[in-house]
Amino acid sequence: MANSKYHHLTKRGQFWYFRKGKTRISLETTVATEAIRLRDKMLENYRINGSFSVAPESQECLTFGQVAKEWAAIHEGKVKYSTWRDYRSSMNTHVLPFFKDMPIDAISYLDVEKFIASLSCGPKRTNNILVPMRSVFKMAFKNGYVQDNVMLKVDNRTVEQPDIFPFSYEEVLLILEAIDPFYKPYTVVRFFTGMRSGEIDALLWSDFKQNMKPGPKIHIHKSYVYGQDDRPKTKKSKRYVDCIDPVLEALEDQRQLTGKSQHIFLTQGEARMNPDHYRNVVWTKALEKAGLEYRPPIQTRHTFATLMLSAGEDIGWVQSMMGHSSLQMIFTRYYAWIPRKTRNDGSAFMQSISQKGPEKVDGKGAETEAKVISLFSKVSQLRHTLIKKGSGETP
């Protein structure tokens, strides 16, 4: 036992402890080799100084890979399964091959920028790869492994908002006519609720609140992603979705297909519905049959937004239905579809003041009217600029 590799070491949960007699000290590491190194240092300190305390410099030799392993043990349970899956892929595929054996306190800003330059992916993916790396350095800084959090100096890459390509109502009808009848109710619900794939795939019949007042709703409170039921994308994603008539009719039809199952939507083989199956087996074939150019299924969500806004539905209602945290996303992405009758260039305002006539205050009515007209002109120019941005045109 005296010659045991792990003499004076015990492991409780994920973490290693030093134990000698009545002394028990957490080594605050999940890495066996680091625990052994700290134990040997503590025994050496005791022999020389009569104390088990570890000298501060004992943490300076930690590599990025060792710290990342500790970080993983601590953080895995803190995020959604789908999020952790992406973190793990980013670390194993990109970050660790580059930084694993480098002392974490020796990694410089220039090292990180060289790493980013070596990536052969777009700005959005690059930013996602940096997320777990930022978290590792944040933990290392808080724990004293590094004196400087180098990732605070690294800016995210600029990401351009991708264009949206919603379907017209006529195209929606063509798709519903071409779709496999078994999946028609599923597709109708996607088009007329704006739900994300993970949200609709997670629905249970108990989530359909048919008798809810003032009208039937669907309760969205989880998401089915990568074969796992998990929390929805954001806190605001937990919501109740109104069931308009096409949705109610689709759910009635769907009950004939899966009414005895726990889940509302399944594949024709009675497996859980998932994005890959829908895209590859159902969606692509339907677009080909309808004679439409391919667009990914996410466009059903954009189509819901544009159809509702074009019809004059309240913007706040559309935001609530889609689970966005603010109106900003609605304005940013769908501004071009907001009907002009609700913001008609200020003409209603101009008409109202023209009916009243110029204000007669101290003989300056004409001057006041000129200022109002000048202000209106500037607002009108700004509006046209926003419209062009919303439609993807260059101002």
Side-chain angles (χ1 to χ4, degrees), residues 148-201:
D148 180 34
N149 183 353
V150 68
M151 295 304 295
L152 294 179
K153 303 174 184 177
V154 179
D155 296 326
N156 271 332
R157 275 31 190 173
T158 301
V159 178
E160 292 186 7
Q161 190 79 293
D163 292 331
I164 64 171
F165 300 98
F167 295 95
S168 66
Y169 183 68
E170 291 72 23
E171 289 173 327
V172 171
L173 296 180
L174 288 175
I175 293 170
L176 295 178
E177 182 68 26
I179 206 91
D180 183 322
F182 183 87
Y183 297 99
K184 183 175 180 178
Y186 176 85
T187 306
V188 169
V189 174
R190 287 187 65 121
F191 269 124
F192 294 104
T193 63
M195 277 190 272
R196 301 177 178 96
S197 293
E199 294 169 347
I200 189 172
D201 294 346

Side-chain angles (χ1 to χ4, degrees), residues 64-79:
F64 180 88
Q66 290 173 319
V67 179
K69 192 169 184 179
E70 288 190 62
W71 167 83
I74 295 169
H75 283 75
E76 181 175 2
K78 293 184 176 182
V79 297

Side-chain angles (χ1 to χ4, degrees), residues 112-147:
V112 179
E113 287 295 335
K114 288 179 179 178
F115 164 67
I116 294 174
S118 72
L119 298 173
S120 57
C121 48
K124 183 176 181 180
R125 181 59 188 152
T126 296
N127 292 342
N128 289 341
I129 290 171
L130 293 178
V131 170
M133 191 174 175
R134 292 184 189 279
S135 185
V136 171
F137 267 94
K138 183 177 180 180
M139 187 194 79
F141 177 73
K142 286 185 174 181
N143 203 47
Y145 293 157
V146 296
Q147 297 302 311

Side-chain angles (χ1 to χ4, degrees), residues 240-281:
Y240 285 90
V241 169
D242 291 328
C243 296
I244 61 178
D245 288 345
V247 175
L248 288 175
E249 294 171 7
L251 290 174
E252 289 179 9
D253 294 339
Q254 186 65 28
R255 197 178 288 278
Q256 304 301 315
L257 301 172
T258 60
K260 295 181 180 180
S261 172
Q262 183 182 18
H263 292 91
I264 296 180
F265 297 108
L266 299 170
T267 69
Q268 207 156 5
E270 299 186 349
R272 291 290 298 271
M273 180 64 84
N274 64 82
D276 290 340
H277 177 84
Y278 183 67
R279 180 180 59 253
N280 298 330
V281 177

Side-chain angles (χ1 to χ4, degrees), residues 238-347:
K238 289 186 176 182
R239 62 197 189 278
Y240 285 90
V241 169
D242 291 328
C243 296
I244 61 178
D245 288 345
V247 175
L248 288 175
E249 294 171 7
L251 290 174
E252 289 179 9
D253 294 339
Q254 186 65 28
R255 197 178 288 278
Q256 304 301 315
L257 301 172
T258 60
K260 295 181 180 180
S261 172
Q262 183 182 18
H263 292 91
I264 296 180
F265 297 108
L266 299 170
T267 69
Q268 207 156 5
E270 299 186 349
R272 291 290 298 271
M273 180 64 84
N274 64 82
D276 290 340
H277 177 84
Y278 183 67
R279 180 180 59 253
N280 298 330
V281 177
V282 184
W283 179 255
T284 302
K285 294 179 180 178
L287 293 188
E288 291 176 355
K289 186 176 179 180
L292 298 174
E293 183 180 354
Y294 181 81
R295 282 171 262 181
I298 185 62
Q299 297 302 328
T300 61
R301 181 168 165 82
H302 297 316
T303 298
F304 168 79
T306 56
L307 289 180
M308 297 302 128
L309 291 171
S310 297
E313 292 291 350
D314 182 77
I315 299 174
W317 178 78
V318 175
Q319 172 206 346
S320 176
M321 287 284 286
M322 299 185 74
H324 287 309
S325 58
S326 71
L327 290 173
Q328 181 63 38
M329 178 64 77
I330 302 297
F331 278 110
T332 300
R333 310 229 55 192
Y334 308 115
Y335 185 85
W337 281 270
I338 298 175
R340 288 179 174 79
K341 64 184 179 182
T342 63
R343 43 161 185 76
N344 198 20
D345 292 344
S347 59

